[in-house]
Amino acid sequence: MSTDHSGTAGAREEAPELAAIAARFVGARRQGQSLPAFPGEIPPDLATAYRVQDIAIGQWPDPVVGWKVGFIAPERRDVSGDERLLGPVFARARQFAIGGQLSFAVFAGGFGAVEAEYVLRLDADAPEGKTDWTPDEAAAFPSSLFIGMEVASSPLATINQLGPRVVVSDFGNNNGLIVGPGIIGWASIAETSLTCRTFIDDRQVGQGGATTLPGGLRAAFAFALSRSARRGRPLKAGDLVATGNATGIHDILPGQQARIEFDGHGSIVARAVAAAPMDEGDWPA
């Protein structure tokens, strides 16, 4: 992994072209609108894309409560060597599945999908100054595991086609996280036994589990701990980490229902609605 600190929040004055990209994505999300194309020149590397993301986080009036981890295919990686990427989960986009059907917003005309997720919650602050984590170290860190559903949505319909630098630039293509029941003693459970299936309008569209992505939960958690620390955003107690799509990335449109069955650990049911303009009273002048 790279040891750069170029994504450190507030580390230096940002280039106006990066601020313009961030502002366009934030504005589109704020208005519930789609974008016809990437709003500017695509960042040349992940480090620059994280600078865009940091600017956008600073423009969003809602605290970050967690991070989604996305896998980067080998042919799409850059000089950083990162096998995964991060995107923020904001407080108002986090929901808890406590019974009944939930709804979540996707951008009509943009990209919308759901992903089955195994979600880790830190039960202690990550140690200051530790920027390299192995999967075994991550598994030993105090944490709890939950079932979950990521809302993968962006105003830009082609976000995944354009690749990781674009995904990172727009909040990691995240628009929410639904957290379900817990799975006790996750570190002692064989990840191969954690399996699940995803349905859209009662049609099965994917199956898999914690080992669908290389390295499984432990590798994803280690990456989140390492990259967050290197960005100057070390993880804290209570932070959530969505470890990656467990059954694939499944397109969804407003009006459709998603259901994820986590074998032996419960289910999550939620319906997609079209993103609407956010209440202007929630935003600073």
Side-chain angles (χ1 to χ4, degrees), residues 2 15 18 235 277:
S2 166
L18 302 185
L235 299 183

Side-chain angles (χ1 to χ4, degrees), residues 87 102 126 236 268:
L102 302 171
K236 303 294 184 181
I268 294 176

